[in-house]
Amino acid sequence: MKMLRGRVIAAAVPVLLLGGLFALEACTGPSGELSAQEVAGVWKGSGGGRVEFVDDGTFTMSGIPQSAIDFSFIDPPPGRGNLSGRGEWNLRGDADRSGTIELSFAATGSFSGGPEFTFLQVEEAGDRPKLYFDTNPDKGYGYTIRRQATEPPRIR
């Protein structure tokens, strides 16, 4: 009887752990991934930061705090105070949806010294998604921007 009880418990533990993982995943909410159509539009952050993603794969950025961005090649980041620039964006990976957006800056604005790139991470998906500039790979935080609601065209 003791041996049978031990086998039942040993068999139940993995099932309970697996069930717990599925329950935990269900509690986390949105998948944390966006499609290109969900990224396109105007996103704003505190202090006047603004990024506009165009559906042709280009973007413009202004008012983003210098400390908000961790760049691949430039340390410290270019300019002072707030950064501006433009370039191309794409979803990271081969999927139709991604939790990471790569920004490739052209040599303009704050980036006149040459091209540069950085990443945005999806913090929240859903009706009003939120992105953040990934400044620390060990922690999920950074300067956040939220997608602005699109207004229907005005009829005159």
Side-chain angles (χ1 to χ4, degrees):
M1 187 74 159
K2 280 187 176 183
M3 187 165 221
L4 182 60
R5 193 178 312 159
R7 286 183 184 172
V8 170
I9 291 172
V13 169
V15 171
L16 291 173
L17 287 175
L18 190 57
L21 288 174
F22 284 121
L24 189 60
E25 185 177 336
C27 292
T28 61
S31 68
E33 294 183 341
L34 298 175
S35 68
Q37 292 83 8
E38 292 169 313
V39 173
V42 175
W43 298 68
K44 292 184 180 178
S46 63
R50 183 179 193 276
V51 181
E52 182 173 0
F53 297 98
V54 183
D55 59 8
D56 68 358
T58 61
F59 76 93
T60 56
M61 177 184 87
S62 62
I64 304 296
Q66 178 187 25
S67 62
I69 302 178
D70 187 26
F71 292 102
S72 54
F73 301 116
I74 302 171
D75 188 26
R80 295 183 195 160
N82 295 331
L83 300 175
S84 65
R86 61 184 169 84
E88 296 179 357
W89 70 273
N90 63 58
L91 298 177
R92 183 110 189 235
D94 296 331
D96 292 336
R97 301 177 69 76
S98 180
T100 303
I101 301 161
E102 182 176 352
L103 302 180
S104 299
F105 293 88
T108 62
S110 300
F111 306 94
S112 58
E116 184 58 63
F117 71 91
T118 193
F119 299 100
L120 281 164
Q121 301 294 333
V122 176
E123 183 174 338
E124 293 177 19
D127 293 340
R128 193 144 177 256
K130 187 190 316 185
L131 304 174
Y132 67 92
F133 284 91
D134 191 5
T135 57
N136 184 337
D138 296 328
K139 295 185 178 182
Y141 68 88
Y143 180 77
T144 60
I145 55 176
R146 267 207 190 271
R147 172 141 186 179
Q148 301 303 292
T150 56
E151 295 181 14
R154 294 183 184 172
I155 301 173
R156 294 183 184 213

